[in-house]
Amino acid sequence: MSNDREHRQSPPDFADEDTKDDDQMFKSAALPVTDDIPLSGEDDDDDNPFGEPSVQKKIPTYINELSTNNETPSDVPPVTPNVVLEPQLSTPVKQDNELSSRGSSVSSSEISTSATQPVQSTASLESQSSTSAQVSKPIASGTTGITTNMKPTQKRSDEHNIEIAVSDPTKVGEGMSSYMTYRITTKTSLAMFKKNEFSVNRRFSDFLGLHDKLVHKHLPLGVIIPSPPEKDTLVMAKVKISKEEAIPIDFIDRRRSQLERYLSRLARHEKLVQDPDFREFIEMPTELPKSTSTQAFSSAGVLRALTNISQQVTKLTTKTSEQDQWFDEKHTFIVDLHTNLKHLYTHFNTLFNQRKESAQALKSLSTSLNHLATIEEHTLLSSALIELANVQDKIEQINIDHSIKEYTIISELIKEYISLLDMVQLAFQERIKIHQQWLNAEDTLRKKRETKTKLEQTPKGADKLPQVEMEINEWEGKVTRNKEDFERISISIREELDVFEQTRIDDFKKTIEIYLKQLLEQQEKILEIWEMYLPEANKINI
């Protein structure tokens, strides 16, 4: 075999990596932002079929800052929830999920036939109140007596598009202080940009810094944020200390492709493409300020973050139960899909290993045939054996090329959606946290009103009444704001999942079509090689 094939670098495996620096990722809704939630746990990456060791990663800190913006439904009047009555739960609205095995019927939302078309649904919201701090408080569908019409996200038409390409990976500097930069070229007809085509240079840490900013701003609003590639410290250390001619080209090109997919997915999102940080990232020609958060997600870190968020939310009051059937079914579907995709990714890695072993076996077979041909006295048989060895060499190369294409086409997409489903689960957890804040505010308001009632019945309490009334007004405002935040994130998650699911269908459909085409081309090449060998084999009969 040639030196190129002997030194070919295999794609990395998807494995749960042990991340010792995963603390300070998420903040509990009830804790001040200076408190840390420890993220601990151990992972097993023994199944890595590509021989790359796991790398320690740090998870960026996400602070739950709820912002009010233009996404707040304008038709929802402020209402103070009744904190004495029992919770009133409306009948949950079932919505169609084309990918769910349950096949629930369409009620008030339909999945669009195009990934770029809006999905319209209506969420009927009903108020929920608390009777005591010790009573288990379910997540309500909304607020009593209020129907919120969800406004669909307006998608861009085909003629107003944006295309992003990442190219020209370049090493800057020498030694361990060096880094890689990538050329980002954008072509667009969107009016929000100053030019129709522009290019900038960005380093990998800039991508991770952008991701941290987007999560910090949009995840508390229920937006599903795509994740950038994971940071591989070990391989990058090899890149830094390697000379120009010894840089692992396969790794650099694979990362370039992953970064391009990441930016393209951000650009396809109606809200994220308008984010000032994203626009600055792809448009500002000068260097960006150095990011302080330069660690990407690892699956193990996300899993531990989900576990710890759930534990912290439970400690706030009591265990929260989901009463909105739509969210309950969607969450179950997302968890099952995430598990099945991880299993599918593992099987593709196993298949890749087996094809590597098959290529090695073909190489050994070719060597044995050549040795046999040298000692064969029959000239025609010796010639046929030599040609057969050449056939095995050609088939080996075809199989290696196909396995790499297969990884790039199928495995990378599966890995990308595993990461996206991690972010979907984090969005669900954000909704739970916001709901807990709402319930806590209601509990506090109820106690303040009880205190006011007691003071009114006591002559000596008249002096304290103005202060208590001010506190009641303050907490009434908090209850209203938390209720609106909960309604907003619920509507946002519904919109996000509708578009996410249709996009996922389109992505996998297109990818499978490409994969089958590549598979047929591989078989045609192999068939052509055997047909060319057939005349040589027929000579043996003479």
Side-chain angles (χ1 to χ4, degrees):
M1 293 296 296
S2 64
N3 292 332
D4 292 338
R5 295 196 300 272
E6 290 176 355
H7 296 285
R8 183 181 298 275
Q9 182 177 356
S10 302
D13 184 20
F14 177 82
D16 291 341
E17 302 173 356
D18 186 11
T19 311
K20 296 182 179 179
D21 296 331
D22 281 349
D23 54 337
Q24 298 184 349
M25 178 177 179
F26 293 95
K27 307 296 182 184
S28 170
L31 298 178
V33 296
T34 56
D35 290 344
D36 295 332
I37 301 176
L39 303 177
S40 60
E42 297 183 0
D43 314 299
D44 185 8
D45 57 358
D46 294 336
D47 294 332
N48 189 333
F50 309 106
E52 293 185 2
S54 61
V55 181
Q56 291 185 349
K57 298 181 171 45
K58 182 181 295 180
I59 304 301
T61 303
Y62 302 149
I63 304 175
N64 183 23
E65 295 182 356
L66 303 177
S67 60
T68 56
N69 51 25
N70 295 332
E71 297 174 16
T72 306
S74 59
D75 56 341
V76 180
V79 175
T80 303
N82 190 336
V83 298
V84 178
L85 299 177
E86 291 292 329
Q88 301 294 325
L89 301 178
S90 62
T91 303
V93 180
K94 293 186 178 180
Q95 302 195 8
D96 181 44
N97 179 2
E98 293 183 4
L99 303 178
S100 173
S101 60
R102 300 177 183 81
S104 42
S105 59
V106 176
S107 171
S108 60
S109 69
E110 294 180 352
I111 295 180
S112 173
T113 57
S114 172
T116 60
Q117 295 300 321
V119 179
Q120 202 168 24
S121 62
T122 303
S124 178
L125 303 174
E126 195 171 327
S127 170
Q128 180 161 17
S129 54
S130 57
T131 55
S132 67
Q134 289 75 27
V135 177
S136 177
K137 303 175 181 181
I139 293 181
S141 305
T143 356
T144 302
I146 296 179
T147 300
T148 302
N149 293 324
M150 183 178 66
K151 298 180 180 180
T153 303
Q154 297 298 323
K155 290 296 175 182
R156 299 183 299 275
S157 57
D158 293 338
E159 60 269 17
H160 299 288
N161 55 16
I162 177 170
E163 297 179 359
I164 299 180
V166 179
S167 60
D168 301 334
T170 306
K171 182 179 179 181
V172 179
E174 296 293 337
M176 295 304 296
S177 61
S178 62
Y179 56 90
M180 299 295 299
T181 63
Y182 301 86
R183 188 72 173 170
I184 302 173
T185 303
T186 304
K187 297 180 181 179
T188 180
S189 57
L190 296 177
M192 70 180 74
F193 295 101
K194 299 177 182 178
K195 299 180 180 179
N196 292 333
E197 183 174 350
F198 42 88
S199 299
V200 296
N201 289 324
R202 295 288 181 258
R203 56 192 295 180
F204 184 68
S205 59
D206 294 333
F207 287 85
L208 303 185
L210 171 64
H211 177 68
D212 182 62
K213 293 176 183 178
L214 295 178
V215 170
H216 179 79
K217 289 190 293 185
H218 295 282
L219 184 62
L221 302 178
V223 177
I224 302 173
I225 315 292
S227 293
E230 295 180 1
K231 192 170 184 177
D232 195 329
T233 306
L234 181 61
V235 178
M236 279 308 302
K238 295 179 180 179
V239 172
K240 291 179 178 182
I241 63 178
S242 299
K243 295 182 180 180
E244 193 69 25
E245 62 276 5
I247 292 178
I249 302 300
D250 288 348
F251 169 79
I252 297 300
D253 186 67
R254 186 169 62 251
R255 170 161 288 183
R256 179 208 59 77
S257 176
Q258 292 171 344
L259 293 175
E260 182 175 286
R261 291 163 69 109
Y262 168 66
L263 291 180
S264 297
R265 197 168 288 278
L266 290 178
R268 289 164 58 186
H269 197 288
E270 185 69 18
K271 296 177 182 177
L272 299 180
V273 73
Q274 302 179 40
D275 185 273
D277 288 314
F278 174 74
R279 293 166 56 185
E280 180 184 76
F281 182 86
I282 64 174
E283 191 176 21
M284 189 174 73
T286 59
E287 292 186 2
L288 296 175
K290 187 175 181 180
S291 176
T292 57
S293 180
T294 59
Q295 296 293 332
F297 272 124
S298 67
S299 298
V302 172
L303 179 60
R304 288 194 293 272
L306 289 170
T307 302
N308 280 275
I309 288 176
S310 179
Q311 292 174 352
Q312 292 295 329
V313 169
T314 302
K315 292 178 181 178
L316 294 180
T317 53
T318 57
K319 185 176 181 181
T320 303
S321 59
E322 178 65 78
Q323 295 299 319
D324 191 322
Q325 186 175 352
W326 188 91
F327 280 97
D328 185 52
E329 291 180 353
K330 285 291 184 182
H331 184 262
T332 301
F333 169 73
I334 292 299
V335 172
D336 291 342
L337 179 61
H338 184 268
T339 301
N340 290 329
L341 284 181
K342 290 185 71 173
H343 290 164
L344 181 61
Y345 188 83
T346 301
H347 292 320
F348 266 102
N349 286 342
T350 302
L351 180 61
F352 185 86
N353 274 336
Q354 292 174 347
R355 286 182 172 161
K356 287 172 59 178
E357 295 173 357
S358 175
Q360 293 174 356
L362 287 175
K363 181 178 180 180
S364 299
L365 176 60
S366 176
T367 302
S368 299
L369 289 172
N370 279 319
H371 290 165
L372 182 60
T374 58
I375 63 173
E376 177 57 52
E377 296 180 354
H378 196 288
T379 305
L380 294 178
L381 179 57
S382 176
S383 177
L385 290 174
I386 292 175
E387 288 300 320
L388 182 58
N390 293 334
V391 167
Q392 300 302 329
D393 282 338
K394 294 177 182 178
I395 293 177
E396 175 198 1
Q397 184 59 49
I398 291 175
N399 289 339
I400 290 176
D401 293 340
H402 172 71
S403 63
I404 293 176
K405 290 179 181 179
E406 180 180 69
Y407 180 88
T408 304
I409 295 172
I410 295 290
S411 298
E412 284 288 351
L413 179 67
I414 296 174
K415 185 176 181 180
E416 185 179 8
Y417 267 93
I418 290 172
S419 178
L420 284 170
L421 290 172
D422 286 331
M423 298 304 299
V424 173
Q425 294 187 66
L426 290 178
F428 273 84
Q429 291 292 342
E430 285 291 333
R431 177 175 174 269
I432 294 175
K433 289 166 57 179
I434 292 174
H435 181 261
Q436 286 291 351
Q437 291 176 342
W438 178 16
L439 296 184
N440 290 341
E442 285 184 336
D443 283 342
T444 302
L445 177 60
R446 175 182 55 81
K447 294 176 182 178
K448 295 294 182 182
R449 287 174 173 173
E450 290 176 353
T451 301
K452 177 183 177 182
T453 301
K454 293 179 181 178
L455 292 176
E456 289 175 343
Q457 296 175 354
T458 305
K460 296 182 180 180
D463 296 339
K464 298 181 180 180
L465 279 177
Q467 177 65 27
V468 174
E469 289 176 352
M470 289 179 57
E471 294 177 353
I472 289 176
N473 291 334
E474 178 183 353
W475 281 100
E476 284 177 346
K478 290 182 178 180
V479 168
T480 301
R481 288 192 297 272
N482 290 335
K483 172 186 66 67
E484 292 174 351
D485 289 337
F486 178 71
E487 293 171 352
R488 186 188 306 113
I489 194 173
S490 298
I491 292 174
S492 177
I493 291 176
R494 286 175 179 267
E495 290 179 333
E496 289 285 310
L497 282 181
D498 285 336
V499 178
F500 172 80
E501 289 177 0
Q502 186 59 46
T503 302
R504 181 171 60 87
I505 293 173
D506 295 339
D507 285 346
F508 275 88
K509 179 181 178 181
K510 182 188 299 183
T511 300
I512 290 175
E513 290 176 351
I514 296 174
Y515 172 68
L516 292 177
K517 182 179 179 181
Q518 295 280 0
L519 190 61
L520 290 174
E521 290 177 354
Q522 178 210 19
Q523 298 301 321
E524 288 175 355
K525 290 178 181 179
I526 294 176
L527 179 60
E528 182 180 354
I529 291 173
W530 283 114
E531 288 177 345
M532 293 175 62
Y533 172 73
L534 184 60
E536 189 69 26
N538 290 335
K539 294 179 182 179
I540 303 176
N541 296 328
I542 299 176

